[in-house]
Coordinates of all heavy atoms in Angstrom, one line a residue:
T18 N 98.8 121.7 78.3 CA 97.6 122.3 79.1 C 96.9 121.3 80.0 O 96.5 121.7 81.1 CB 96.5 122.6 78.1 OG1 97.2 123.5 76.9 CG2 95.3 123.4 78.6
R33 N 86.2 108.1 96.5 CA 85.3 108.0 95.4 C 85.7 106.9 94.4 O 84.8 106.1 93.9 CB 85.0 109.4 94.5 CG 84.2 109.2 93.4 CD 83.8 110.7 92.8 NE 83.0 110.4 91.7 CZ 81.7 110.3 91.7 NH1 81.1 110.2 92.8 NH2 80.9 110.0 90.7
A35 N 87.3 104.2 95.2 CA 87.1 103.0 95.8 C 85.7 102.5 95.6 O 85.4 101.4 95.5 CB 87.5 103.1 97.3
M44 N 79.7 94.2 88.9 CA 79.2 93.9 87.5 C 80.2 93.1 86.7 O 79.8 92.9 85.5 CB 78.9 95.3 86.9 CG 77.9 96.1 87.6 SD 77.7 97.7 86.9 CE 77.1 97.3 85.3
H113 N 96.9 99.3 71.5 CA 96.8 100.7 70.8 C 95.7 101.5 71.5 O 94.7 101.0 71.5 CB 96.7 100.8 69.3 CG 97.8 99.9 68.6 ND1 99.0 100.5 68.3 CD2 97.6 98.8 68.0 CE1 99.6 99.5 67.6 NE2 98.9 98.6 67.5
I140 N 89.3 109.7 64.1 CA 88.1 109.6 65.1 C 87.8 111.0 65.8 O 87.3 111.1 66.8 CB 88.3 108.6 66.1 CG1 89.6 108.6 66.9 CG2 88.2 107.1 65.5 CD1 89.8 107.6 68.0
E152 N 83.4 109.7 55.3 CA 84.8 109.9 55.1 C 85.5 109.4 56.4 O 86.4 108.5 56.3 CB 85.1 111.2 54.8 CG 86.6 111.5 54.8 CD 86.9 113.0 54.8 OE1 86.0 113.7 54.5 OE2 88.0 113.5 55.2
T204 N 80.5 93.7 64.1 CA 79.6 92.9 65.0 C 79.8 93.6 66.5 O 81.0 93.5 66.9 CB 79.8 91.5 65.0 OG1 79.5 90.9 63.8 CG2 78.9 90.8 66.1

Side-chain angles (χ1 to χ4, degrees):
T18 307
R33 179 172 176 79
M44 299 176 64
H113 304 279
I140 51 176
E152 168 200 340
T204 300

